[in-house]
Amino acid sequence: MMPSIHQSKIKTNKNLTILSIESSCDDTACALVQSDGTVFAEQIYSQKEHIEFGGVVPEIAARAHLSHLSTLVKKTITQAQINWSEIDAIAATCGPGLIGGVIVGSSFAKGLALAQNLPFIGINHIEAHALTVRIPNISSVQVQFPYLLFLTSGGHCQCIHVTNIGEYQRLGGTIDDAAGEAFDKVAKMLGLSWPGGPALEALAKEGDENAFSLPRPLYGRPGCDFSFSGLKTAVANLLTGYENTDTLPRQLAADIAASFQKAITTAIINRLENAIKMVPDTTLLATAGGVAANQYLRKRLLALAEQYKLPFIAPPMKYCTDNAVMIGWAAIEILHQASNTNKLIDDISLLPRPRWPLSEMSERFKH
């Protein structure tokens, strides 16, 4: 449950300036964002500490956030040339995510808010991704409600009907691995460096996507849930005898990468086509999350949207992955919505959470 909403000094009839922090996984980020969409400054540290392990180690991630966050905040404020008196609120991710990192980021932000006598806005990481496409000037299309969002990253894979701020209907999601996790694990099987998604996409450009017939999990079935574990197993079976990736011929690896990318994208498109039919009132198709940076997938999503005569929106690459700009923008959207319902928000008592369903977001506006 949300904490009780109590009086804050935010005046939402002005152009708000928000200092925002993101620390839900392995990117430490800070930004200063204004409600007209201006990004005064942003800093991000993509943690290199995990490379030798081939994936994110939660404790190492939390320690890295703790080591770098203070410096990033100082650099952001210096870059923006803004005084604390010009900042209206501080926002930070409070979940879902790796709980150590979420605790570090949200606690640091709360400390700043208390020290500077500013309201604190706790942000749901998934909600922030969902609202990224509404940042002004992010595209030539002005995003209106309702819209269909395909959220795809290393930890999340969902179809979400976004009907308003705080109002989200989850139409379907993964029943096992997220798409980004599947990309990373297949990349690791092929001996590629971490993070695996971009490396696999690059290798796939050298391969024949029709070289291998791989399964399209749940293809043709009702609904818009996803499943990728069987596809990973099929790739593993192709690699029998190549447990030492140093002996894997590059052309074979490229063909497997291309065939995998085609299979997973084809499955995704089929599930999204069902999702579009489930919400005939949707005004556009949007995507967000780290996997949304994949250009092969973007082209297929654009073609699907055009098939149904819908605009297609994808954030710029740097806003697909985890970033603090989306956290600041989500805070602005929430504050304006709260103003419309005569509720003023200060979430200083909000506890960090490893899981935080979108279905709870409407609670902010019900007190």
Side-chain angles (χ1 to χ4, degrees):
M1 295 294 291
M2 290 284 185
S4 297
I5 296 174
H6 59 268
Q7 189 75 13
S8 81
K9 65 178 185 179
I10 297 176
K11 296 180 180 179
T12 54
N13 60 350
K14 60 170 287 192
N15 203 3
L16 299 174
T17 300
I18 307 294
L19 175 69
S20 54
I21 289 171
E22 155 61 17
S23 61
S24 66
C25 193
D26 62 324
D27 287 320
T28 312
C30 182
L32 271 161
V33 184
Q34 201 168 54
S35 51
D36 62 0
T38 300
V39 177
F40 289 116
E42 58 180 312
Q43 295 285 329
I44 186 166
Y45 173 72
S46 295
Q47 298 173 5
K48 306 295 190 294
E49 290 86 343
H50 310 280
I51 292 176
E52 64 179 295
F53 302 101
V56 178
V57 181
E59 169 129 0
I60 292 175
R63 291 179 180 274
H65 290 308
L66 191 60
S67 297
H68 296 284
L69 191 50
S70 177
T71 300
L72 287 180
V73 171
K74 290 177 182 176
K75 285 184 177 180
T76 301
I77 292 174
T78 300
Q79 179 186 350
Q81 298 183 323
I82 282 179
N83 298 318
W84 280 104
S85 60
E86 300 174 81
I87 298 173
D88 296 289
I90 297 175
T93 301
C94 279
L98 300 178
I99 190 60
V102 174
I103 289 172
V104 169
S106 61
S107 298
F108 187 90
K110 288 179 181 181
L112 284 178
L114 290 170
Q116 299 296 331
N117 193 29
L118 291 170
F120 170 78
I121 313 300
I123 301 300
N124 181 303
H125 179 83
I126 303 302
E127 183 173 31
H129 272 305
L131 298 174
T132 300
V133 294
R134 283 177 48 84
I135 299 175
N137 305 319
I138 209 166
S139 79
S140 59
V141 178
Q142 185 176 7
V143 178
Q144 302 290 343
F145 300 114
Y147 58 90
L148 175 63
L149 173 75
F150 174 50
L151 175 62
T152 178
S153 68
H156 306 281
C157 190
Q158 302 178 37
C159 295
I160 303 168
H161 192 214
V162 183
T163 58
N164 206 338
I165 308 302
E167 298 178 13
Y168 311 99
Q169 179 188 6
R170 185 180 183 275
L171 303 174
T174 182
I175 60 177
D176 41 55
D177 301 331
E181 182 181 356
F183 268 96
D184 285 342
K185 288 184 175 177
V186 169
K188 189 172 184 178
M189 293 180 200
L190 296 174
L192 301 177
S193 60
W194 182 87
L200 188 146
E201 181 184 6
L203 179 61
K205 293 177 181 178
E206 302 175 24
D208 176 6
E209 65 179 25
N210 298 310
F212 298 98
S213 179
L214 293 171
R216 276 72 165 159
L218 300 183
Y219 188 95
R221 297 190 187 182
C224 57
D225 285 333
F226 303 88
S227 172
F228 303 118
S229 61
L231 179 54
K232 287 189 314 179
T233 301
V235 172
N237 290 338
L238 289 177
L239 292 167
T240 301
Y242 290 102
E243 285 72 17
N244 181 356
T245 56
D246 290 339
T247 65
L248 183 63
R250 185 171 182 85
Q251 189 57 53
L252 175 59
D255 288 346
I256 292 174
S259 298
F260 166 79
Q261 183 172 251
K262 179 182 179 181
I264 195 170
T265 300
T266 300
I268 286 169
I269 295 301
N270 175 256
R271 314 314 293 155
L272 279 175
E273 188 167 10
N274 287 354
I276 290 172
K277 294 174 182 177
M278 292 166 68
V279 285
D281 63 337
T282 190
T283 59
L284 59 87
L285 173 64
T287 190
V291 182
N294 182 290
Q295 293 301 301
Y296 183 92
L297 174 61
R298 280 197 188 212
K299 289 178 182 177
R300 294 287 300 275
L301 291 172
L302 174 60
L304 176 66
E306 290 176 343
Q307 178 185 339
Y308 285 88
K309 297 180 172 53
L310 293 171
F312 172 66
I313 302 290
M317 304 288 248
K318 64 178 180 178
Y319 296 145
C320 286
T321 53
D322 295 345
N323 63 90
V325 171
M326 72 178 189
I327 302 301
W329 179 254
I332 288 165
E333 294 266 37
I334 289 165
L335 289 169
H336 281 296
Q337 182 72 356
S339 175
N340 293 337
T341 56
N342 296 315
K343 305 292 183 184
L344 295 176
I345 291 177
D346 189 335
D347 287 337
I348 199 69
S349 60
L350 183 64
L351 297 176
R353 301 171 57 175
R355 299 183 183 277
W356 194 4
L358 282 179
S359 58
E360 297 182 16
M361 295 306 98
S362 61
E363 296 297 320
R364 290 186 189 271
F365 312 113
K366 290 183 179 178
H367 296 278

